Amino acid sequence: MENLIALLIGAPLLGAAVLLCGGRRLDRSGHWLGTLLAAASFVIALALFADMLGKSADDRAMFQRLYTWIPVEGFRADMAFQLDQLSMTFVLLITGVGTLIHIYSIGYMEHDERRRRFFGYLNLFVAAMLLLVLADNYLLLYFGWEGVGLASYLLIGFWQHKPTAATAAKKAFLVNRVGDMGLSIAIMIMFTTFGTFTFGPVLAETGQASEGKLTAIGLMLLLAACGKSAQVPLQSWLGDAMEGPTPVSALIHAATMVTAGVYLIVRSADIFNAAPDAQLVVTVVGAVTLLFGAIVGCAKDDIKKALAGSTMSQIGYMILAAGLGPIGYVFAIMHLVTHGFFKAGLFLGAGSVMHGMNDEVDMRRYGGLRKYMPVTFVTFGLGYLAIIGFPGLSGFFSKDKIIEAAFAKGGTEGWILGSVTLLGAAITAYYMTRVMLMTFFGEKRWQPDENGEPPHPHESPKSMTIPMVLLAVGSVAAGAYFEFAGFVEWLEPVTGFAHGHSPLSAAAVTTATVAVMVIGVGLAYLQYGRKPVPVVAPRGSLLTRAARRDLLQDDFNHAVFVTGGTHLTRSLVYVDHTLVDGVVNGTAAAVGGLSGRLRKLQNGYVRSYAVSMFGGTAVLIAATLLMRAV
């Protein structure tokens, strides 16, 4: 079965090559080819999963080596793959949700004349993401990491005729390059420390390296994770990336690409376990981003950007859990998978609403849509209940476990982290209820589009609603399945697992979680359910205005990095012109001036030369006589 691992990547990679190079002859059938090859990868994943289940827990890892990628003396990199419980979890998520999003895109992109190219980019992204999670070494992982960055750039900017989409794609690409520098530096430190960058030897020999080096590697890996997973301080690109087609938001910014950072940290668990300082920074970054994204999501009127803030916050939960070490690794992945179901469903639901509302994204121009889009309403509603942690649904099981693990950290740190996760749960319930009420309830606030065409909301075609229904099933059942099917035992051989010492019982944490959820829902209902929603947003408080501008993250980046970089560049140019060029030009001027004066001695008159010779001879004679006298 190991020989099938490469086919997981090969199927969508073949689709990308054919669709992007096949020309217009595939315009009518290319979307079907791309979808079938994505589905083929999912079928292969199911076959490998079934084979893995038939083995003992310690014998489930599979390896496949294709060839030596870079054969250099003292430096060897293989094109080799590793499929264990952790990578299998990601493979099933990527191929399963990816296939559903391909199917959804058939209807969503039906009238786009570049649909074939779009499906080629989708296949390229799936192939790159699979390479990232199947690589058996950090260098090959980096190759997939950069492939994901390229594909996301192409997909975010797919509608490049829109200046905002082109700008968003460039912004995402540049911000991610900052994070990618962290991964490249981490790989360099690994090689100089361990002599290899293959997972097995590196993670097995962490005890032989100094804590300082492991901390440096951990911090650089965290920097890479912050870029891909939109965590503070590299989170600014995610909201703008909503300019891409909605299936892109569902695939890249909900279920796959933004989870790559979580995968990187959990895969490198042994490094972080041996570097407690780096592990603490991971936890802090997750806690800060958890609240940051939730606050931003509260103030957005653009439905996709509200969901983007939510994604940022939920990934913050995962990063925080990963920073807890063996207490939280499994729960970080558990929430990652459940989040993949309900957040992808929410994004596809948002796309369905836009499809019926002339591509309108402003929720203040929605209202009362539940009567006109019943399937979208129910599937979106189930995703909403899952993300706020409604008892019995997926988010309730996975997020609850992270909150318990945060308290189980123990001491003051445990109380702080636990309180942060509870506060995040309350804010999540608030902003998601706000989205639900503004979109599907209340009075109609529909407005004509820019062409004066009034909206005629209607249910989306089956190619769009069927994936939404299947994702809704995952939103409802995935958490309970993981809870009772032994998800901890499934991942423990790879990630490890440890019970913490929580000052609160599981029942107390659950009660507190449900209580803060009810508070968040109630506050949102009082503000948006019992009062008319104005079509134009009120000015709001200072915090609201800051949240609408993403808590001034772009202003900060512009002031510190753009303006600061401009001033630094100008200062360096000034130093170059005045000091460096001054020394060089000054030396040239001095030599030129001296030569100009010496040139005057060469006047061409014999009598002048005779006098010079006589004077020189007289000086020599006088000097000789003086020396003898002394």
Side-chain angles (χ1 to χ4, degrees), residues 125 128-129 132 138-153 169-190 216-231 233-235 237 257-258 260-261 264:
F125 175 84
M129 191 69 199
L132 190 159
Y138 284 96
L139 190 63
L140 188 57
L141 180 150
Y142 184 75
F143 187 60
W145 192 272
E146 292 300 317
V148 167
L150 170 63
S152 67
Y153 167 78
K170 288 187 288 186
K171 183 177 182 180
F173 191 82
L174 292 173
V175 173
N176 273 273
R177 296 294 74 70
V178 176
D180 295 352
M181 285 297 297
L183 182 54
S184 63
I185 294 171
I187 294 173
M188 295 175 195
I189 300 174
M190 283 178 197
I217 293 173
L219 292 177
M220 290 298 100
L221 292 176
L222 174 60
L223 179 62
C226 287
K228 277 289 183 287
S229 295
Q231 300 293 285
L234 300 179
Q235 79 286 8
W237 65 271
M257 173 177 158
V258 290
L264 181 65

Side-chain angles (χ1 to χ4, degrees), residues 1-9 41-53 55-65 80-95 129-137 140 199 263 267 490-491 493-494:
M1 294 296 288
E2 288 84 354
N3 294 332
L4 295 178
I5 297 177
L7 293 180
L8 286 169
I9 305 169
S41 186
F42 180 55
V43 171
I44 296 170
L46 290 175
L48 289 167
F49 179 57
D51 181 67
M52 186 176 286
L53 289 176
K55 301 178 181 178
S56 64
D58 296 327
D59 192 38
R60 285 174 170 166
M62 306 179 194
F63 300 89
Q64 182 183 14
R65 178 182 172 276
F81 308 119
Q82 171 180 319
L83 182 64
D84 55 18
Q85 292 92 316
L86 178 61
S87 50
M88 174 56 78
T89 302
F90 276 83
V91 166
L92 289 172
L93 179 67
I94 294 164
T95 57
M129 191 69 199
L130 287 171
L131 177 61
L132 190 159
V133 300
L134 287 170
D136 88 326
N137 62 80
L140 188 57
F199 293 149
Y263 171 80
R267 174 60 75 187
W490 165 258
L491 277 184
V494 180

Side-chain angles (χ1 to χ4, degrees), residues 347-602:
F347 268 115
L348 295 188
S352 180
V353 170
M354 293 166 57
H355 181 78
M357 291 293 290
N358 295 347
D359 289 327
E360 178 63 68
V361 295
D362 190 341
M363 293 184 294
R364 293 185 178 276
R365 298 187 174 191
Y366 291 165
L369 293 179
R370 69 184 187 280
K371 298 178 182 179
Y372 301 89
M373 310 180 74
V375 177
T376 300
F377 168 64
V378 172
T379 56
F380 193 97
L382 291 173
Y384 152 73
L385 292 174
I387 195 173
I388 68 172
F390 190 84
L393 274 70
S394 292
F396 169 78
F397 291 100
S398 58
K399 194 193 300 183
D400 228 38
K401 293 295 184 183
I402 293 177
I403 296 173
E404 289 179 24
F407 279 109
K409 184 67 175 177
T412 304
E413 184 181 346
W415 280 105
I416 293 174
L417 294 175
S419 300
V420 167
T421 55
L422 282 176
L423 178 59
I427 302 175
T428 301
Y430 172 83
Y431 69 71
M432 285 306 304
T433 302
R434 174 179 180 267
V435 170
M436 196 73 188
L437 292 173
M438 292 178 68
T439 303
F440 295 101
F441 293 88
E443 298 297 325
K444 303 174 184 178
R445 302 179 300 277
W446 310 343
Q447 301 289 321
D449 61 18
E450 57 186 14
N451 298 319
E453 181 71 23
H456 299 284
H458 56 280
E459 192 55 86
S460 299
K462 290 185 178 180
S463 63
M464 296 172 64
T465 56
I466 289 176
M468 292 159 55
V469 170
L470 294 175
L471 289 171
V473 172
S475 300
V476 172
Y481 174 77
F482 292 148
E483 174 73 11
F484 300 110
F487 192 75
V488 172
E489 291 75 13
W490 165 258
L491 277 184
E492 186 178 0
V494 180
T495 63
F497 179 70
H499 292 282
H501 304 285
S502 176
L504 300 176
S505 66
V509 173
T510 299
T511 301
T513 305
V514 173
V516 298
M517 178 203 73
V518 172
I519 292 172
V521 172
L523 290 174
Y525 177 74
L526 290 175
Q527 187 171 355
Y528 294 96
R530 299 188 62 182
K531 299 178 182 179
V533 177
V535 177
V536 179
R539 178 175 173 82
S541 65
L542 180 62
L543 177 60
T544 300
R545 297 198 299 273
R548 286 175 185 155
R549 298 178 63 180
D550 300 329
L551 291 180
L552 309 180
Q553 56 182 322
D554 284 330
D555 301 79
F556 176 81
N557 290 342
H558 190 274
V560 174
F561 298 110
V562 179
T563 304
T566 300
H567 289 313
L568 176 62
T569 302
R570 289 175 178 172
S571 300
L572 293 175
V573 170
Y574 176 78
V575 170
D576 180 60
H577 286 172
T578 56
L579 182 62
V580 179
D581 289 352
V583 171
V584 174
N585 295 335
T587 302
V591 172
L594 179 62
S595 64
R597 288 172 174 77
L598 293 175
R599 180 172 54 80
K600 295 180 180 179
L601 298 177
Q602 305 293 326

